[in-house]
Amino acid sequence: MNASSAPRPRTRKVTAALAATALAAGLGLAALATTAPPAQATSAAGPAAGPATGQPGLDRLHAYCQSLGHLNSVAQNPKSVWSWRCVGVDGTMHGINMHDACRWQHGAGLSHAAFHDERNAFSWYCY
């Protein structure tokens, strides 16, 4: 190996620094690409009708649960309409009768509950 073909010390440092930067950037992009999108957040207030439905939602489940003596409401799984629970003062979970919640929130005129998508806890509405 002659002197003209051997990399100079400065070039080796720059090359090593560029390789380290490229590796770090690649790992960062890979982490972003493999990170799942955030799940739809559960709302203490409860599911609301989507803007396209034009139907009254159940947006006061938190207050409904409190009216029953509980602390709040929670969707234990945002991908299931059946996952809504009232959280008791002792931390126990209590099922919610969505028809009663509609009646409580909207009165007798809108006393029935239904949902648009069983895989979306936030798709409940009252009619």
Side-chain angles (χ1 to χ4, degrees):
M1 183 179 209
N2 63 35
S4 63
S5 65
R8 291 179 280 167
R10 181 179 166 119
T11 304
R12 261 188 262 155
K13 287 181 183 177
V14 170
T15 302
L18 287 174
T21 302
L23 178 62
L27 290 175
L29 290 175
L32 287 175
T34 58
T35 302
Q40 187 172 2
T42 57
S43 166
T53 67
Q55 295 166 316
L58 279 168
D59 55 354
R60 297 193 60 222
L61 281 180
H62 184 80
Y64 170 73
C65 287
Q66 287 180 333
S67 78
L68 299 174
H70 303 301
L71 291 177
N72 58 23
S73 64
V74 64
Q76 294 178 309
N77 177 359
K79 295 183 179 181
S80 172
V81 293
W82 309 113
S83 70
W84 282 100
R85 302 286 183 269
C86 288
V87 181
V89 294
D90 61 353
T92 58
M93 299 292 175
H94 304 271
I96 298 175
N97 182 322
M98 293 300 199
H99 298 297
D100 287 345
C102 281
R103 191 174 304 110
W104 178 87
Q105 181 174 336
H106 298 290
L110 296 170
S111 61
H112 299 287
F115 52 85
H116 294 288
D117 181 358
E118 189 173 13
R119 296 165 304 202
N120 179 354
F122 301 88
S123 68
W124 284 102
Y125 65 94
C126 299
Y127 66 98

